[in-house]
């Protein structure tokens, strides 16, 4: 089944907020075997709504609609939908019950003078919203269904899973299978250029190939409904014996931090960090993963020189002799973290995320890292490009790869 | 001028990656006085490209195109564009020069067997890419311009600013002015319901009103090309003397961390953190702001009980008596951070981000925080809902408001 997504909201087209619902809808569709072929974002405007629904309806059998279901005057999805399907808004008992229940779930009481959530277009089914107050709306005729959901990402996601899934998943859907070939440390051109010029053609036998440059490196995907376990094994064997092997860090969609946490658990290896330029980003990424607490001890975010000394035991003389951004300081930071957090592997970062603070000898984008274990400490220096936020991310990503490699040999 | 954005890429519609370019394009248009009215996302498919360009061309004078300019076989934007404007790909001297320069900027040498970046549709202008290798493409006829840019967010953004801006900004563009009324701690319904039922109508005199529920609270925007400083002052005066005053934390688009850092600098107040459940997120947000280092000392991310004791000096007896998630531990964490980082205000977090680890007495979403200064320490307990990542964000956000309030009185 081909579906599309219509996102409504001036705030997205003014750049005020970032759309988070496309990816959620896309992953939902992918999981259910639905093909999401188009998304359109429009302003809060009836004419644009009609044109977009016409366009999407011509190219799909179902349209997910995000946004504009709230209580304020710019929330006009319901009236646009009513007008599009040429039905009046009428009081709906099920909607009234749902709304009353939604309010009770938040320890509130609903009365009709609060909003008109109980009024919905005739012929439309109200849908339970597990995370918010406004109900969703579902309409279906012979050729097309329309599902209007709140734009708040938490509510949109919960409603997709819990209320839309059951409405549309009783079809005979065929799931697309996928193999991810995740590389690190080699550019796209080299992979498909002189390293393995026939790789694209080889993979294309098995399904649709795409190549995705990520910050960390190139991910190559092969997707097809016919891609079974034996084909996947065949490709893996081929690649594991190819020149690309040393650049592949994963064949699945586990995130880098997840891979680290799983391996650390397997090896009962406690991890800690010491972060200067990454400012807690790496710790935050680790702690996004539920269950990290059994192996992740913490991170000493030490932005000032004094805190590097006081908390991590970095020597004043090292700071004076080499400067805060140096492999020497990185090494003492990692060793300090190892000791203070009583961990088995500690990773440290000290660098220049910019935009200020760079010099010719130590430019913005320079970062020193160290990985310490009970037995040894190894340090590295790298140079990256990017904005402050991008550099923080790249530093963090590079450090996590060092950590993963150290863990593999632990 | 009305513009639209066409985003090309299977990976976005499979949910593999998140679109970051819409917001960048939207903010760019907003700043230049262009009205971005539509975005469409399609798969790497020629038919879909033609349909989308037809649709967008009917509703705008310019189309920004993102994605599909790279060197691999799924990068087909250039050939789709050539086919749409019915022109062959020809060798272009300017493109050849640009590409050679791009490669040199990355210390690489370009040769035609690496890729076909020097071949572009006849009648199309190649555009300098300050951040990557593939040049952009610009086409213009009487009624419509098309600008194709790489999808990699860093390159897309840099090209918009540096290469597209100059192509299109010599128009007589009128900028939309905006006032942001940013509230905290009051739901949308209450604001426009019994607190100030006439607020929407009052604001609508000045421009287009919209109400945006953010995680931290409701942002109300008023936008109009006619909104001048005197109107803005009139609205601010009205609101500062209204019942909404106590819920407004800002009238501009400074982020919460930016507001904190500016105020801290103004008051020469050093800040440090102690984070358990937020796992470094708050520190990472602080350090996203350039120049934070003059007031931000760091954060002790202490995930384990041992590290709370060892690094922050939390007493074992406090942990045993009250448990790690308690106001008592939060207080000792904040005091420990104050001491170790030699700061003037320290904020601590200890809570349960879930999904596991909750109990009836201490459910997932419970968080204890404390703000310590040299003179006193204040603690609080809150209960939120959400996924692990959402809860981390909410905890962090709530804590930052405590910090902002403490700073205001510092």
């Amino acid at each position: 089944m081909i579906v599309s997504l219509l996102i409504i909201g001036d705030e997205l087209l003014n750049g005020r907020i970032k759309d988070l619902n496309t990816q959620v809808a896309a992953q939902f569709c992918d999981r259910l075997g639905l093909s999401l072929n188009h998304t359109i974002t429009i302003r809060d405007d009836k004419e644009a709504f009609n044109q977009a629904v016409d366009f999407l309806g011509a190219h799909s059998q179902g349209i997910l609609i995000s946004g504009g279901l709230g209580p304020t005057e710019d929330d006009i999805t319901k009236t646009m939908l009513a007008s599009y399907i040429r039905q009046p808004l009428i009081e709906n008992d099920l909607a009234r019950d749902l709304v009353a229940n939604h309010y009770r779930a938040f320890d509130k009481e609903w009365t009709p003078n609060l909003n008109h959530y109980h009024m919905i277009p005739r012929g439309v089914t109200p849908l339970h919203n597990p995370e918010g107050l406004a109900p969703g709306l579902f309409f279906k005729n012979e050729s097309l269904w329309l599902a209007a959901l709140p734009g708040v990402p938490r509510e949109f996601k919960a409603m997709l899973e819990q209320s839309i899934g059951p409405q549309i998943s009783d079809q005979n859907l065929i799931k697309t299978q996928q193999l991810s070939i995740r590389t690190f440390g080699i550019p796209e051109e080299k992979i498909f250029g002189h390293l393995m010029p026939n790789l694209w053609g080889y993979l294309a036998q098995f399904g649709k190939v795409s190549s995705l440059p990520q910050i960390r490196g190139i991910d190559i995907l092969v997707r097809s409904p016919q891609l079974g376990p034996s084909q996947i094994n065949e490709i893996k064997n081929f690649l594991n014996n190819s020149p690309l092997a040393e650049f592949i860090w994963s064949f699945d969609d586990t995130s880098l931090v997840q891979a680290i946490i799983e391996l650390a658990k397997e090896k009962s290896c406690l991890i800690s960090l010491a972060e200067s330029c990454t400012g807690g980003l790496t710790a935050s990424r680790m702690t996004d993963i539920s269950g990290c607490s059994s192996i992740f001890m913490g991170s000493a975010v030490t932005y000032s020189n004094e805190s590097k000394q006081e908390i991590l035991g970095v020597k004043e003389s090292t700071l004076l002799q080499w400067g805060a951004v140096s492999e020497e300081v990185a090494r003492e930071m990692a060793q300090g973290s190892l000791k203070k957090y009583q961990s088995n592997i500690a990773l440290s970062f000290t660098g220049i995320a910019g935009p200020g603070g760079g010099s010719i000898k130590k430019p913005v984008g320079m970062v020193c890292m160290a990985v310490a274990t009970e037995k040894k400490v190894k340090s590295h220096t790298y140079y990256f490009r990017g904005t402050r936020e991008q550099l923080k991310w790249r530093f963090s990503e590079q450090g996590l790869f060092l950590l993963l490699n150290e863990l593999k040999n632990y």
Side-chain angles (χ1 to χ4, degrees), chain A residues 69 92 94-106 117 120 124-138 147-150 154-167:
Chain A
L69 288 182
N92 180 300
L94 180 52
R96 182 185 272 270
D97 289 350
L98 280 177
V99 174
N101 285 333
H102 294 162
Y103 273 71
R104 264 196 292 279
F106 287 87
Y117 287 161
I120 68 172
V124 163
T125 310
L127 297 176
H128 172 50
N129 179 346
E131 290 286 339
L133 300 172
L137 303 172
F138 191 80
L149 312 180
R154 186 182 75 252
E155 301 180 30
F156 181 82
K157 187 172 183 180
M159 285 204 66
L160 263 191
E161 301 289 343
Q162 296 180 39
S163 300
I164 302 300
Q167 297 276 345

Side-chain angles (χ1 to χ4, degrees), chain A residues 18 33 54 64 132 138 180 195 202 228 261 290 299 329 351 377 381 393:
Chain A
K18 190 179 280 153
D54 280 345
L64 298 165
F138 191 80
S180 304
L195 192 74
Y202 169 79
I261 288 168
S290 161
S299 176
V329 168
V377 53
T381 301
W393 186 268

Side-chain angles (χ1 to χ4, degrees), chain A residues 190-253:
Chain A
K190 272 217 182 116
I191 297 176
F192 298 107
H194 43 266
L195 192 74
M196 293 188 73
N198 302 318
L199 180 60
W200 196 284
Y202 169 79
L203 295 173
Q205 303 172 76
F206 296 93
K208 180 159 188 180
V209 185
S210 45
S211 169
L212 300 183
Q214 305 285 310
I215 289 180
R216 75 172 68 78
I218 309 298
D219 287 357
I220 304 163
L221 309 190
V222 186
R223 295 169 55 87
S224 160
Q226 278 80 47
L227 193 70
S230 68
Q231 283 85 15
I232 288 180
N233 275 334
E234 191 183 328
I235 302 175
K236 283 188 187 175
N237 280 335
F238 172 81
L239 289 170
N240 282 333
N241 295 299
S242 80
L244 193 62
E246 62 175 303
F247 301 101
I248 295 171
W249 66 273
S250 173
F251 281 112
D252 67 39
D253 288 335

Side-chain angles (χ1 to χ4, degrees), chain A residues 57-74:
Chain A
H59 299 291
S60 58
Q61 287 107 53
I63 306 177
L64 298 165
I65 301 171
S66 159
L69 288 182
T72 57
E73 293 186 33
D74 57 344

Side-chain angles (χ1 to χ4, degrees), chain A residues 6 49 65 91 129 155 159 173 217 228 263 283 312 314 344 376:
Chain A
L6 174 59
F49 179 86
I65 301 171
E91 210 177 307
N129 179 346
E155 301 180 30
M159 285 204 66
L173 299 168
L263 194 57
L312 292 169
V314 174
N344 304 114
K376 61 181 184 302

Side-chain angles (χ1 to χ4, degrees), chain A residues 172-358:
Chain A
N172 275 329
L173 299 168
I174 301 163
K175 262 202 70 169
T176 298
Q177 304 297 319
Q178 170 172 305
L179 173 67
S180 304
I181 303 155
R182 313 184 72 188
T183 71
F184 177 69
I186 180 166
E188 203 172 29
E189 277 178 355
K190 272 217 182 116
I191 297 176
F192 298 107
H194 43 266
L195 192 74
M196 293 188 73
N198 302 318
L199 180 60
W200 196 284
Y202 169 79
L203 295 173
Q205 303 172 76
F206 296 93
K208 180 159 188 180
V209 185
S210 45
S211 169
L212 300 183
Q214 305 285 310
I215 289 180
R216 75 172 68 78
I218 309 298
D219 287 357
I220 304 163
L221 309 190
V222 186
R223 295 169 55 87
S224 160
Q226 278 80 47
L227 193 70
S230 68
Q231 283 85 15
I232 288 180
N233 275 334
E234 191 183 328
I235 302 175
K236 283 188 187 175
N237 280 335
F238 172 81
L239 289 170
N240 282 333
N241 295 299
S242 80
L244 193 62
E246 62 175 303
F247 301 101
I248 295 171
W249 66 273
S250 173
F251 281 112
D252 67 39
D253 288 335
T254 318
S255 73
L256 181 54
V257 275
Q258 233 162 349
I260 287 170
I261 288 168
E262 276 165 29
L263 194 57
K265 280 185 181 172
E266 206 182 296
K267 302 200 170 188
S268 299
C269 175
L270 303 181
I271 290 170
S272 70
L273 306 171
E275 300 183 74
S276 183
C277 55
T278 49
L281 173 64
T282 317
S284 188
R285 292 176 67 187
M286 294 287 286
T287 57
D288 278 345
I289 309 296
S290 161
C292 68
S293 60
S294 64
I295 57 92
F296 182 63
M297 299 295 99
S299 176
V301 182
T302 51
Y303 230 57
S304 63
N305 280 353
E306 295 73 24
S307 61
K308 288 182 183 74
Q309 294 171 240
E310 172 70 24
I311 295 175
L312 292 169
V314 174
K315 291 195 286 289
E316 192 177 7
S317 58
T318 314
L319 284 161
L320 285 172
Q321 187 177 353
W322 301 100
V325 179
S326 61
E327 291 193 26
E328 288 74 10
V329 168
R331 294 163 75 92
E332 293 187 13
M333 286 173 70
Q335 287 168 316
S337 173
L338 197 75
K339 194 175 144 199
K340 281 295 174 79
Y341 285 99
Q342 298 156 39
S343 61
N344 304 114
I345 301 183
L347 165 69
S348 70
F349 301 86
T350 177
I352 301 158

